[in-house]
Amino acid sequence: MADITDFTHGDDWDREEGKSKTQVKKEMHALQALGEELVALSPAARAKLPMDNDLVEALKLADKLVKKHEAYRRHMQFIGKIMRGTDLEPIERALAVVRNTNQAATRKFHLIEDWRDKLIANSDAVTEFIAEYPQVEIQQLRTLIRNAKKEQEKNQPAKSYRELFQLIKPAILGE
């Protein structure tokens, strides 16, 4: 009579370096989560990542399957399977750079918004802003601040508010 350990289950989880099935499943779920993060990236951001052709094609197909929930779920498992045989270190390093770039851009965007709000709320902030960013056009800055205050008081559309953002954006970003 054959022993239960003589049967193979189609998986090689029991042959992997003494890892438990739970540990192997956790690793597979981590690969799947990494795959979902890759799918969520824009095609331009994905192009910056060092991936082999199989993974690139699988990610393109995943974009098409997003609305087909069960097919998308199975395809994400397939992407995880592809990534098992891939060296993930270069991909993870490049992905970290993409994440940091996005976070830095978000921080700069918030800085611009903070300056805009400070300029509208406090008239002393204009002098501080001009001292820190002397390349800004002072007369246009003062005009937009005045108009933005009037718009807020009269509950009008925030045209000058947006224009003020566009005026101080290049000064802060150094463009």
Short mmCIF file of all heavy atoms in Angstrom, two decimals, residues 87-149:
data_model
loop_
_atom_site.label_atom_id
_atom_site.label_comp_id
_atom_site.label_asym_id
_atom_site.label_seq_id
_atom_site.Cartn_x
_atom_site.Cartn_y
_atom_site.Cartn_z
N ASP A 87 14.21 37.40 -10.80
CA ASP A 87 14.99 38.09 -9.78
C ASP A 87 14.27 39.39 -9.46
O ASP A 87 14.21 40.30 -10.29
CB ASP A 87 16.41 38.36 -10.29
CG ASP A 87 17.28 39.03 -9.25
OD1 ASP A 87 16.95 38.95 -8.05
OD2 ASP A 87 18.31 39.63 -9.64
N LEU A 88 13.72 39.48 -8.27
CA LEU A 88 12.87 40.62 -7.92
C LEU A 88 13.64 41.81 -7.36
O LEU A 88 13.09 42.91 -7.28
CB LEU A 88 11.82 40.18 -6.91
CG LEU A 88 10.83 39.15 -7.41
CD1 LEU A 88 9.87 38.75 -6.31
CD2 LEU A 88 10.07 39.68 -8.60
N GLU A 89 14.88 41.62 -6.96
CA GLU A 89 15.63 42.71 -6.32
C GLU A 89 15.73 43.96 -7.21
O GLU A 89 15.44 45.06 -6.75
CB GLU A 89 17.01 42.23 -5.90
CG GLU A 89 17.76 43.25 -5.09
CD GLU A 89 19.12 42.75 -4.64
OE1 GLU A 89 19.31 41.53 -4.54
OE2 GLU A 89 19.99 43.60 -4.41
N PRO A 90 16.12 43.83 -8.50
CA PRO A 90 16.18 45.03 -9.34
C PRO A 90 14.81 45.69 -9.53
O PRO A 90 14.70 46.92 -9.55
CB PRO A 90 16.73 44.55 -10.67
CG PRO A 90 17.18 43.16 -10.48
CD PRO A 90 16.61 42.66 -9.21
N ILE A 91 13.76 44.88 -9.63
CA ILE A 91 12.41 45.42 -9.80
C ILE A 91 12.00 46.19 -8.54
O ILE A 91 11.47 47.30 -8.62
CB ILE A 91 11.40 44.30 -10.10
CG1 ILE A 91 11.69 43.66 -11.46
CG2 ILE A 91 9.97 44.82 -10.06
CD1 ILE A 91 10.85 42.45 -11.77
N GLU A 92 12.28 45.61 -7.36
CA GLU A 92 11.90 46.26 -6.11
C GLU A 92 12.68 47.55 -5.90
O GLU A 92 12.14 48.54 -5.41
CB GLU A 92 12.07 45.31 -4.94
CG GLU A 92 11.02 44.22 -4.94
CD GLU A 92 11.23 43.17 -3.85
OE1 GLU A 92 12.36 43.06 -3.33
OE2 GLU A 92 10.26 42.46 -3.55
N ARG A 93 13.97 47.56 -6.27
CA ARG A 93 14.77 48.80 -6.15
C ARG A 93 14.21 49.89 -7.06
O ARG A 93 14.04 51.04 -6.64
CB ARG A 93 16.24 48.53 -6.48
CG ARG A 93 17.03 48.09 -5.26
CD ARG A 93 18.52 48.07 -5.55
NE ARG A 93 18.84 46.73 -6.05
CZ ARG A 93 19.47 46.47 -7.17
NH1 ARG A 93 19.91 47.43 -7.93
NH2 ARG A 93 19.69 45.24 -7.56
N ALA A 94 13.90 49.54 -8.30
CA ALA A 94 13.36 50.52 -9.24
C ALA A 94 11.96 50.99 -8.80
O ALA A 94 11.63 52.16 -8.93
CB ALA A 94 13.30 49.94 -10.64
N LEU A 95 11.19 50.08 -8.24
CA LEU A 95 9.86 50.42 -7.75
C LEU A 95 9.96 51.38 -6.56
O LEU A 95 9.15 52.30 -6.43
CB LEU A 95 9.09 49.16 -7.37
CG LEU A 95 7.62 49.29 -7.05
CD1 LEU A 95 6.87 49.90 -8.22
CD2 LEU A 95 7.04 47.93 -6.71
N ALA A 96 10.95 51.19 -5.72
CA ALA A 96 11.17 52.10 -4.58
C ALA A 96 11.49 53.50 -5.08
O ALA A 96 11.03 54.50 -4.51
CB ALA A 96 12.28 51.57 -3.69
N VAL A 97 12.26 53.60 -6.15
CA VAL A 97 12.58 54.91 -6.73
C VAL A 97 11.31 55.57 -7.27
O VAL A 97 11.08 56.76 -7.05
CB VAL A 97 13.64 54.76 -7.85
CG1 VAL A 97 13.79 56.05 -8.64
CG2 VAL A 97 14.97 54.34 -7.26
N VAL A 98 10.47 54.79 -7.95
CA VAL A 98 9.22 55.33 -8.48
C VAL A 98 8.33 55.80 -7.33
O VAL A 98 7.74 56.89 -7.39
CB VAL A 98 8.48 54.27 -9.34
CG1 VAL A 98 7.06 54.70 -9.67
CG2 VAL A 98 9.26 53.99 -10.60
N ARG A 99 8.23 55.01 -6.25
CA ARG A 99 7.42 55.41 -5.09
C ARG A 99 7.94 56.71 -4.49
O ARG A 99 7.17 57.61 -4.17
CB ARG A 99 7.46 54.33 -4.01
CG ARG A 99 6.62 53.14 -4.29
CD ARG A 99 6.65 52.21 -3.08
NE ARG A 99 6.40 50.86 -3.45
CZ ARG A 99 7.20 49.83 -3.19
NH1 ARG A 99 8.32 50.00 -2.55
NH2 ARG A 99 6.87 48.62 -3.57
N ASN A 100 9.26 56.80 -4.29
CA ASN A 100 9.84 58.01 -3.70
C ASN A 100 9.64 59.22 -4.59
O ASN A 100 9.43 60.33 -4.09
CB ASN A 100 11.33 57.80 -3.41
CG ASN A 100 11.55 56.88 -2.24
OD1 ASN A 100 10.67 56.70 -1.41
ND2 ASN A 100 12.72 56.28 -2.18
N THR A 101 9.72 59.04 -5.89
CA THR A 101 9.49 60.15 -6.82
C THR A 101 8.06 60.66 -6.66
O THR A 101 7.84 61.87 -6.62
CB THR A 101 9.73 59.69 -8.27
OG1 THR A 101 11.07 59.18 -8.36
CG2 THR A 101 9.57 60.83 -9.24
N ASN A 102 7.12 59.74 -6.58
CA ASN A 102 5.72 60.14 -6.41
C ASN A 102 5.51 60.85 -5.09
O ASN A 102 4.78 61.83 -5.01
CB ASN A 102 4.79 58.93 -6.51
CG ASN A 102 4.75 58.35 -7.90
OD1 ASN A 102 5.12 59.00 -8.87
ND2 ASN A 102 4.32 57.12 -8.02
N GLN A 103 6.14 60.36 -4.02
CA GLN A 103 6.00 60.98 -2.71
C GLN A 103 6.62 62.36 -2.70
O GLN A 103 6.07 63.29 -2.11
CB GLN A 103 6.63 60.10 -1.63
CG GLN A 103 5.86 58.83 -1.38
CD GLN A 103 6.58 57.87 -0.46
OE1 GLN A 103 7.73 58.09 -0.12
NE2 GLN A 103 5.91 56.80 -0.06
N ALA A 104 7.77 62.52 -3.34
CA ALA A 104 8.43 63.82 -3.39
C ALA A 104 7.57 64.82 -4.17
O ALA A 104 7.44 65.98 -3.77
CB ALA A 104 9.81 63.70 -4.03
N ALA A 105 6.98 64.38 -5.26
CA ALA A 105 6.11 65.26 -6.04
C ALA A 105 4.89 65.67 -5.23
O ALA A 105 4.46 66.83 -5.28
CB ALA A 105 5.68 64.56 -7.33
N THR A 106 4.34 64.74 -4.46
CA THR A 106 3.19 65.05 -3.61
C THR A 106 3.56 66.05 -2.54
O THR A 106 2.80 66.99 -2.27
CB THR A 106 2.64 63.76 -2.97
OG1 THR A 106 2.30 62.85 -4.00
CG2 THR A 106 1.43 64.04 -2.11
N ARG A 107 4.74 65.90 -1.94
CA ARG A 107 5.19 66.84 -0.91
C ARG A 107 5.35 68.24 -1.51
O ARG A 107 4.96 69.23 -0.89
CB ARG A 107 6.51 66.39 -0.29
CG ARG A 107 6.33 65.30 0.76
CD ARG A 107 7.60 65.10 1.56
NE ARG A 107 8.74 64.70 0.76
CZ ARG A 107 9.05 63.46 0.43
NH1 ARG A 107 8.29 62.46 0.84
NH2 ARG A 107 10.11 63.19 -0.30
N LYS A 108 5.93 68.33 -2.70
CA LYS A 108 6.09 69.64 -3.35
C LYS A 108 4.74 70.26 -3.68
O LYS A 108 4.54 71.46 -3.53
CB LYS A 108 6.95 69.51 -4.60
CG LYS A 108 8.41 69.30 -4.28
CD LYS A 108 9.26 69.27 -5.52
CE LYS A 108 10.72 69.08 -5.14
NZ LYS A 108 11.59 69.12 -6.29
N PHE A 109 3.81 69.44 -4.13
CA PHE A 109 2.48 69.93 -4.44
C PHE A 109 1.82 70.51 -3.18
O PHE A 109 1.21 71.57 -3.23
CB PHE A 109 1.64 68.78 -5.01
CG PHE A 109 0.26 69.16 -5.42
CD1 PHE A 109 0.03 69.83 -6.61
CD2 PHE A 109 -0.82 68.86 -4.61
CE1 PHE A 109 -1.25 70.17 -6.99
CE2 PHE A 109 -2.11 69.20 -4.99
CZ PHE A 109 -2.32 69.86 -6.17
N HIS A 110 1.98 69.80 -2.05
CA HIS A 110 1.41 70.29 -0.79
C HIS A 110 2.09 71.58 -0.34
O HIS A 110 1.44 72.47 0.22
CB HIS A 110 1.50 69.23 0.30
CG HIS A 110 0.54 68.09 0.10
ND1 HIS A 110 -0.82 68.27 0.01
CD2 HIS A 110 0.76 66.77 -0.04
CE1 HIS A 110 -1.41 67.09 -0.17
NE2 HIS A 110 -0.47 66.16 -0.22
N LEU A 111 3.39 71.69 -0.59
CA LEU A 111 4.11 72.92 -0.24
C LEU A 111 3.55 74.10 -1.03
O LEU A 111 3.34 75.19 -0.47
CB LEU A 111 5.61 72.75 -0.51
CG LEU A 111 6.48 73.98 -0.26
CD1 LEU A 111 6.48 74.35 1.22
CD2 LEU A 111 7.90 73.71 -0.74
N ILE A 112 3.29 73.89 -2.31
CA ILE A 112 2.73 74.95 -3.15
C ILE A 112 1.34 75.35 -2.63
O ILE A 112 1.04 76.54 -2.50
CB ILE A 112 2.66 74.51 -4.63
CG1 ILE A 112 4.06 74.27 -5.17
CG2 ILE A 112 1.93 75.54 -5.47
CD1 ILE A 112 4.09 73.53 -6.50
N GLU A 113 0.52 74.35 -2.31
CA GLU A 113 -0.81 74.65 -1.78
C GLU A 113 -0.73 75.41 -0.46
O GLU A 113 -1.50 76.34 -0.22
CB GLU A 113 -1.61 73.36 -1.58
CG GLU A 113 -2.07 72.72 -2.85
CD GLU A 113 -2.83 71.43 -2.60
OE1 GLU A 113 -2.56 70.76 -1.58
OE2 GLU A 113 -3.69 71.10 -3.42
N ASP A 114 0.20 75.01 0.42
CA ASP A 114 0.36 75.68 1.71
C ASP A 114 0.76 77.14 1.53
O ASP A 114 0.25 78.02 2.22
CB ASP A 114 1.39 74.95 2.58
CG ASP A 114 0.91 73.59 3.04
OD1 ASP A 114 -0.30 73.33 2.97
OD2 ASP A 114 1.76 72.77 3.46
N TRP A 115 1.71 77.38 0.61
CA TRP A 115 2.13 78.75 0.35
C TRP A 115 0.96 79.57 -0.18
O TRP A 115 0.75 80.72 0.22
CB TRP A 115 3.29 78.79 -0.64
CG TRP A 115 4.63 78.87 0.02
CD1 TRP A 115 5.60 77.91 0.00
CD2 TRP A 115 5.16 79.95 0.80
NE1 TRP A 115 6.69 78.34 0.72
CE2 TRP A 115 6.44 79.59 1.22
CE3 TRP A 115 4.65 81.18 1.19
CZ2 TRP A 115 7.24 80.42 2.01
CZ3 TRP A 115 5.44 82.01 1.98
CH2 TRP A 115 6.72 81.62 2.38
N ARG A 116 0.20 79.01 -1.10
CA ARG A 116 -0.93 79.73 -1.67
C ARG A 116 -1.93 80.12 -0.57
O ARG A 116 -2.35 81.28 -0.49
CB ARG A 116 -1.63 78.88 -2.73
CG ARG A 116 -2.89 79.53 -3.29
CD ARG A 116 -3.61 78.64 -4.24
NE ARG A 116 -4.00 77.39 -3.59
CZ ARG A 116 -4.48 76.34 -4.24
NH1 ARG A 116 -4.62 76.37 -5.54
NH2 ARG A 116 -4.82 75.26 -3.59
N ASP A 117 -2.26 79.18 0.29
CA ASP A 117 -3.21 79.46 1.37
C ASP A 117 -2.64 80.48 2.35
O ASP A 117 -3.37 81.35 2.84
CB ASP A 117 -3.58 78.17 2.08
CG ASP A 117 -4.35 77.21 1.18
OD1 ASP A 117 -4.90 77.67 0.16
OD2 ASP A 117 -4.37 76.00 1.49
N LYS A 118 -1.35 80.36 2.64
CA LYS A 118 -0.71 81.31 3.55
C LYS A 118 -0.69 82.72 2.96
O LYS A 118 -0.92 83.70 3.67
CB LYS A 118 0.72 80.86 3.86
CG LYS A 118 1.36 81.60 5.02
CD LYS A 118 2.84 81.32 5.23
CE LYS A 118 3.29 79.91 5.24
NZ LYS A 118 4.73 79.77 5.54
N LEU A 119 -0.42 82.82 1.67
CA LEU A 119 -0.39 84.13 1.01
C LEU A 119 -1.76 84.81 1.04
O LEU A 119 -1.86 86.02 1.21
CB LEU A 119 0.08 83.99 -0.44
CG LEU A 119 1.56 83.68 -0.64
CD1 LEU A 119 1.84 83.28 -2.08
CD2 LEU A 119 2.42 84.87 -0.24
N ILE A 120 -2.81 84.03 0.88
CA ILE A 120 -4.16 84.60 0.89
C ILE A 120 -4.58 84.97 2.31
O ILE A 120 -5.20 86.00 2.53
CB ILE A 120 -5.16 83.62 0.25
CG1 ILE A 120 -4.86 83.51 -1.25
CG2 ILE A 120 -6.60 84.07 0.47
CD1 ILE A 120 -5.64 82.43 -1.96
N ALA A 121 -4.20 84.15 3.29
CA ALA A 121 -4.64 84.37 4.66
C ALA A 121 -3.86 85.46 5.39
O ALA A 121 -4.40 86.16 6.25
CB ALA A 121 -4.54 83.06 5.45
N ASN A 122 -2.57 85.63 5.06
CA ASN A 122 -1.72 86.52 5.84
C ASN A 122 -0.96 87.46 4.90
O ASN A 122 -0.18 87.01 4.07
CB ASN A 122 -0.74 85.67 6.67
CG ASN A 122 0.12 86.47 7.59
OD1 ASN A 122 0.06 87.69 7.62
ND2 ASN A 122 0.95 85.77 8.35
N SER A 123 -1.14 88.75 5.07
CA SER A 123 -0.48 89.71 4.19
C SER A 123 1.03 89.79 4.44
O SER A 123 1.78 90.19 3.55
CB SER A 123 -1.13 91.10 4.33
OG SER A 123 -1.05 91.53 5.67
N ASP A 124 1.48 89.41 5.63
CA ASP A 124 2.92 89.40 5.92
C ASP A 124 3.63 88.26 5.18
O ASP A 124 4.85 88.31 5.00
CB ASP A 124 3.18 89.25 7.42
CG ASP A 124 2.67 90.46 8.20
OD1 ASP A 124 2.60 91.55 7.60
OD2 ASP A 124 2.37 90.30 9.40
N ALA A 125 2.88 87.26 4.77
CA ALA A 125 3.47 86.11 4.08
C ALA A 125 4.01 86.50 2.70
O ALA A 125 4.92 85.85 2.18
CB ALA A 125 2.44 85.00 3.94
N VAL A 126 3.49 87.57 2.12
CA VAL A 126 3.94 88.02 0.79
C VAL A 126 5.42 88.40 0.86
O VAL A 126 6.21 87.99 0.01
CB VAL A 126 3.09 89.21 0.27
CG1 VAL A 126 3.63 89.71 -1.05
CG2 VAL A 126 1.65 88.79 0.14
N THR A 127 5.78 89.17 1.88
CA THR A 127 7.18 89.58 2.04
C THR A 127 8.08 88.36 2.24
O THR A 127 9.16 88.28 1.66
CB THR A 127 7.30 90.54 3.26
OG1 THR A 127 6.34 91.57 3.13
CG2 THR A 127 8.70 91.12 3.35
N GLU A 128 7.62 87.44 3.06
CA GLU A 128 8.38 86.22 3.32
C GLU A 128 8.55 85.40 2.04
O GLU A 128 9.64 84.89 1.75
CB GLU A 128 7.64 85.40 4.38
CG GLU A 128 8.35 84.15 4.84
CD GLU A 128 7.52 83.36 5.85
OE1 GLU A 128 6.66 83.94 6.53
OE2 GLU A 128 7.75 82.15 5.93
N PHE A 129 7.48 85.29 1.25
CA PHE A 129 7.54 84.53 0.01
C PHE A 129 8.51 85.17 -0.98
O PHE A 129 9.31 84.49 -1.60
CB PHE A 129 6.14 84.41 -0.62
CG PHE A 129 6.11 83.56 -1.85
CD1 PHE A 129 6.08 82.18 -1.76
CD2 PHE A 129 6.13 84.13 -3.12
CE1 PHE A 129 6.07 81.38 -2.90
CE2 PHE A 129 6.12 83.35 -4.26
CZ PHE A 129 6.09 81.97 -4.14
N ILE A 130 8.42 86.50 -1.11
CA ILE A 130 9.30 87.21 -2.05
C ILE A 130 10.76 87.09 -1.63
O ILE A 130 11.64 86.95 -2.48
CB ILE A 130 8.87 88.70 -2.17
CG1 ILE A 130 7.49 88.77 -2.85
CG2 ILE A 130 9.89 89.50 -2.96
CD1 ILE A 130 6.85 90.14 -2.80
N ALA A 131 11.01 87.10 -0.32
CA ALA A 131 12.39 86.94 0.17
C ALA A 131 12.92 85.55 -0.17
O ALA A 131 14.10 85.39 -0.52
CB ALA A 131 12.44 87.18 1.68
N GLU A 132 12.06 84.55 -0.07
CA GLU A 132 12.50 83.17 -0.33
C GLU A 132 12.55 82.85 -1.82
O GLU A 132 13.40 82.09 -2.27
CB GLU A 132 11.58 82.19 0.40
CG GLU A 132 12.15 80.80 0.45
CD GLU A 132 11.42 79.91 1.45
OE1 GLU A 132 10.82 80.43 2.40
OE2 GLU A 132 11.48 78.69 1.25
N TYR A 133 11.63 83.44 -2.59
CA TYR A 133 11.55 83.17 -4.02
C TYR A 133 11.54 84.49 -4.79
O TYR A 133 10.50 84.93 -5.28
CB TYR A 133 10.29 82.35 -4.36
CG TYR A 133 10.19 81.06 -3.59
CD1 TYR A 133 9.35 80.94 -2.49
CD2 TYR A 133 10.96 79.96 -3.95
CE1 TYR A 133 9.25 79.75 -1.78
CE2 TYR A 133 10.88 78.78 -3.24
CZ TYR A 133 10.02 78.68 -2.16
OH TYR A 133 9.94 77.51 -1.46
N PRO A 134 12.71 85.13 -4.94
CA PRO A 134 12.76 86.47 -5.55
C PRO A 134 12.45 86.48 -7.06
O PRO A 134 12.17 87.55 -7.61
CB PRO A 134 14.20 86.93 -5.29
CG PRO A 134 14.97 85.68 -5.09
CD PRO A 134 14.03 84.68 -4.50
N GLN A 135 12.47 85.33 -7.73
CA GLN A 135 12.23 85.30 -9.17
C GLN A 135 10.76 85.47 -9.55
O GLN A 135 10.44 85.66 -10.70
CB GLN A 135 12.79 84.00 -9.77
CG GLN A 135 12.04 82.74 -9.39
CD GLN A 135 12.53 82.10 -8.11
OE1 GLN A 135 13.12 82.74 -7.25
NE2 GLN A 135 12.28 80.80 -7.97
N VAL A 136 9.86 85.42 -8.57
CA VAL A 136 8.44 85.56 -8.88
C VAL A 136 8.11 87.00 -9.24
O VAL A 136 8.74 87.94 -8.75
CB VAL A 136 7.57 85.07 -7.68
CG1 VAL A 136 7.63 86.06 -6.53
CG2 VAL A 136 6.15 84.82 -8.09
N GLU A 137 7.14 87.16 -10.13
CA GLU A 137 6.72 88.49 -10.56
C GLU A 137 5.84 89.10 -9.46
O GLU A 137 4.69 88.68 -9.25
CB GLU A 137 5.95 88.38 -11.88
CG GLU A 137 5.79 89.70 -12.56
CD GLU A 137 5.19 89.54 -13.94
OE1 GLU A 137 5.56 88.58 -14.64
OE2 GLU A 137 4.35 90.38 -14.29
N ILE A 138 6.36 90.10 -8.77
CA ILE A 138 5.76 90.62 -7.55
C ILE A 138 4.40 91.28 -7.81
O ILE A 138 3.43 91.02 -7.07
CB ILE A 138 6.72 91.62 -6.86
CG1 ILE A 138 8.01 90.90 -6.49
CG2 ILE A 138 6.08 92.24 -5.63
CD1 ILE A 138 9.14 91.81 -6.06
N GLN A 139 4.31 92.09 -8.82
CA GLN A 139 3.05 92.80 -9.08
C GLN A 139 1.93 91.81 -9.41
O GLN A 139 0.81 91.93 -8.91
CB GLN A 139 3.22 93.80 -10.23
CG GLN A 139 2.00 94.66 -10.47
CD GLN A 139 1.61 95.49 -9.24
OE1 GLN A 139 2.47 96.03 -8.56
NE2 GLN A 139 0.33 95.55 -8.96
N GLN A 140 2.23 90.83 -10.24
CA GLN A 140 1.22 89.83 -10.60
C GLN A 140 0.83 89.00 -9.37
O GLN A 140 -0.34 88.67 -9.18
CB GLN A 140 1.76 88.93 -11.71
CG GLN A 140 0.71 87.99 -12.26
CD GLN A 140 1.25 87.13 -13.40
OE1 GLN A 140 2.44 87.14 -13.69
NE2 GLN A 140 0.37 86.40 -14.03
N LEU A 141 1.80 88.72 -8.51
CA LEU A 141 1.54 87.97 -7.28
C LEU A 141 0.55 88.73 -6.40
O LEU A 141 -0.44 88.17 -5.94
CB LEU A 141 2.86 87.73 -6.53
CG LEU A 141 2.75 87.03 -5.18
CD1 LEU A 141 2.36 85.58 -5.38
CD2 LEU A 141 4.07 87.12 -4.43
N ARG A 142 0.83 90.01 -6.17
CA ARG A 142 -0.05 90.83 -5.32
C ARG A 142 -1.45 90.95 -5.92
O ARG A 142 -2.45 90.88 -5.21
CB ARG A 142 0.56 92.21 -5.10
CG ARG A 142 1.81 92.19 -4.25
CD ARG A 142 2.31 93.61 -3.99
NE ARG A 142 3.63 93.62 -3.40
CZ ARG A 142 3.87 93.50 -2.10
NH1 ARG A 142 2.88 93.33 -1.26
NH2 ARG A 142 5.12 93.53 -1.65
N THR A 143 -1.53 91.09 -7.24
CA THR A 143 -2.83 91.21 -7.90
C THR A 143 -3.65 89.93 -7.74
O THR A 143 -4.84 89.96 -7.42
CB THR A 143 -2.64 91.52 -9.40
OG1 THR A 143 -1.87 92.71 -9.53
CG2 THR A 143 -3.96 91.67 -10.11
N LEU A 144 -3.00 88.78 -7.95
CA LEU A 144 -3.71 87.51 -7.83
C LEU A 144 -4.16 87.24 -6.39
O LEU A 144 -5.24 86.70 -6.16
CB LEU A 144 -2.84 86.36 -8.35
CG LEU A 144 -2.67 86.31 -9.87
CD1 LEU A 144 -1.67 85.24 -10.26
CD2 LEU A 144 -4.00 86.09 -10.56
N ILE A 145 -3.32 87.62 -5.42
CA ILE A 145 -3.70 87.44 -4.02
C ILE A 145 -4.94 88.30 -3.71
O ILE A 145 -5.90 87.83 -3.10
CB ILE A 145 -2.53 87.81 -3.08
CG1 ILE A 145 -1.40 86.80 -3.23
CG2 ILE A 145 -3.00 87.88 -1.63
CD1 ILE A 145 -0.11 87.20 -2.54
N ARG A 146 -4.93 89.55 -4.14
CA ARG A 146 -6.05 90.46 -3.90
C ARG A 146 -7.32 89.91 -4.56
O ARG A 146 -8.39 89.86 -3.95
CB ARG A 146 -5.72 91.86 -4.42
CG ARG A 146 -6.76 92.91 -4.12
CD ARG A 146 -6.37 94.31 -4.57
NE ARG A 146 -5.95 94.37 -5.97
CZ ARG A 146 -4.69 94.59 -6.38
NH1 ARG A 146 -3.73 94.76 -5.51
NH2 ARG A 146 -4.41 94.64 -7.68
N ASN A 147 -7.21 89.47 -5.81
CA ASN A 147 -8.37 88.94 -6.52
C ASN A 147 -8.89 87.64 -5.89
O ASN A 147 -10.10 87.41 -5.83
CB ASN A 147 -8.05 88.70 -7.99
CG ASN A 147 -7.84 90.00 -8.74
OD1 ASN A 147 -8.22 91.08 -8.27
ND2 ASN A 147 -7.22 89.91 -9.90
N ALA A 148 -7.97 86.79 -5.43
CA ALA A 148 -8.38 85.54 -4.78
C ALA A 148 -9.14 85.83 -3.48
O ALA A 148 -10.12 85.14 -3.16
CB ALA A 148 -7.16 84.67 -4.50
N LYS A 149 -8.70 86.83 -2.73
CA LYS A 149 -9.41 87.22 -1.50
C LYS A 149 -10.82 87.71 -1.83
O LYS A 149 -11.78 87.35 -1.15
CB LYS A 149 -8.64 88.31 -0.76
CG LYS A 149 -7.40 87.81 -0.06
CD LYS A 149 -6.69 88.97 0.65
CE LYS A 149 -5.40 88.50 1.31
NZ LYS A 149 -4.70 89.61 1.98
#
